[in-house]
Amino acid sequence: MLDEQLITRALFGGAIKMSLPQRFVDVSDYRPVPDHQEVWTDATLDQSVILEIVEHQPVPDQDCCKLYFNDVAEHNQAATCQIQSIRCPSAHLQLLLTCSAQLSGCHQYLIHAWHMPTFHLLCSLVMLDLWLCNMHPRVPITAAATEEIPEVAGEALKAVVTGLQSVAKGRQEAHTANDVQIQLAVFRYPDRGSDILVTMNTPVFINEASAAAQHTGAGHKTAHRSAPELFASMLKTFHIFDYTLFG
């Protein structure tokens, strides 16, 4: 059971509301934050949540998760990145993708699809180009019920990705990098020409040379163990009130 007090926050001038941990503070109270972002953080844990409105990218839904995960890695100037799991919600289709082979630098996935409500088993093969990140050879990809995110249209949430990135704090050099758990939810609104990314960053290991060690202490951390449950609880409360947000 998650022991974390969440409170509803009005984001982007109230256009979006989502519950965040009470311990998180609005970074814009302390420094400038771009208009297309909301950044909230708990400096004592070096944990943060970022909501970002980005231009919709003309890539298939099955590829958007690795595309945006890689974008985050590039922005973070990550020395390494690895996707550990991908959760794919769908209103009418549950997907379980299991790695079956590695061919020419790509991974081949067998999709076992149970179509609701007939439960007719469909099987097909898809090739996923995974050169963007050094992914684990057996990435678990599981189905998540849309009921987990009741306020969001079923077709909007395309993936919740969890992975690791080696990231230096601020402008510090690469040898000070920390191991950070990255959770990324991808909401897609092609008719609005936009996507919304919700990212939660939680340290797994803090380098003693990192600036973060001054607030959190160096060494292995434990917050990442409960972070997936916390992230899911937050996503359940995500709700767009004003679609003029997209312009």
Side-chain angles (χ1 to χ4, degrees):
M1 182 71 66
L2 183 66
D3 184 18
E4 182 83 59
Q5 184 173 359
L6 303 180
I7 60 175
T8 302
R9 300 292 192 181
L11 309 170
F12 298 105
I16 294 177
K17 289 187 178 180
M18 188 171 76
S19 294
L20 301 175
Q22 187 176 28
R23 56 187 168 83
F24 277 40
V25 298
D26 186 351
V27 171
S28 68
D29 290 339
Y30 304 95
R31 63 171 174 82
V33 171
D35 291 341
H36 69 287
Q37 290 184 348
E38 285 275 351
V39 183
W40 294 71
T41 187
D42 176 358
T44 62
L45 295 181
D46 199 38
Q47 188 177 47
S48 62
V49 173
I50 302 172
L51 285 83
E52 183 174 13
I53 303 170
V54 299
E55 182 180 357
H56 179 77
Q57 298 300 311
V59 299
D61 289 338
Q62 68 267 23
D63 294 332
C64 71
C65 56
K66 63 180 175 63
L67 170 68
Y68 285 126
F69 186 85
N70 185 67
D71 283 347
V72 171
E74 289 186 358
H75 180 266
N76 289 340
Q77 296 183 326
T80 62
C81 69
Q82 180 185 75
I83 291 178
Q84 297 175 313
S85 67
I86 304 172
R87 291 179 61 79
C88 303
S90 174
H92 304 294
L93 194 66
Q94 293 183 346
L95 299 180
L96 176 61
L97 282 70
T98 305
C99 180
S100 59
Q102 182 175 354
L103 300 173
S104 302
C106 297
H107 290 279
Q108 187 178 52
Y109 287 85
L110 176 65
I111 300 179
H112 299 283
W114 290 266
H115 190 275
M116 307 294 285
T118 63
F119 295 99
H120 179 65
L121 180 63
L122 307 173
C123 294
S124 63
L125 291 175
V126 295
M127 296 299 296
L128 300 179
D129 175 13
L130 303 180
W131 63 268
L132 290 174
C133 287
N134 298 318
M135 294 179 64
H136 192 279
R138 300 189 68 84
V139 177
I141 303 182
T142 60
T146 45
E147 288 75 13
E148 293 182 359
I149 320 238
E151 300 292 346
V152 180
E155 65 275 10
L157 180 62
K158 296 304 179 183
V160 178
V161 185
T162 300
L164 282 176
Q165 295 183 11
S166 179
V167 181
K169 190 75 172 176
R171 297 181 179 180
Q172 288 192 286
E173 296 181 1
H175 73 273
T176 68
N178 305 313
D179 293 334
V180 182
Q181 178 194 71
I182 307 291
Q183 296 183 87
L184 173 65
V186 181
F187 297 87
R188 310 200 81 193
Y189 303 92
D191 57 329
R192 308 276 179 175
S194 301
D195 293 341
I196 294 181
L197 311 180
V198 183
T199 308
M200 187 170 189
N201 307 289
T202 308
V204 176
F205 178 83
I206 298 292
N207 191 314
E208 62 181 7
S210 171
Q214 299 176 13
H215 305 286
T216 64
H220 293 279
K221 302 301 172 181
T222 60
H224 67 280
R225 297 175 185 172
S226 59
E229 183 180 359
L230 174 59
F231 194 55
S233 296
M234 291 162 48
L235 292 178
K236 290 178 185 178
T237 68
F238 179 94
H239 184 53
I240 299 179
F241 286 88
D242 185 1
Y243 281 86
T244 63
L245 169 73
F246 297 116

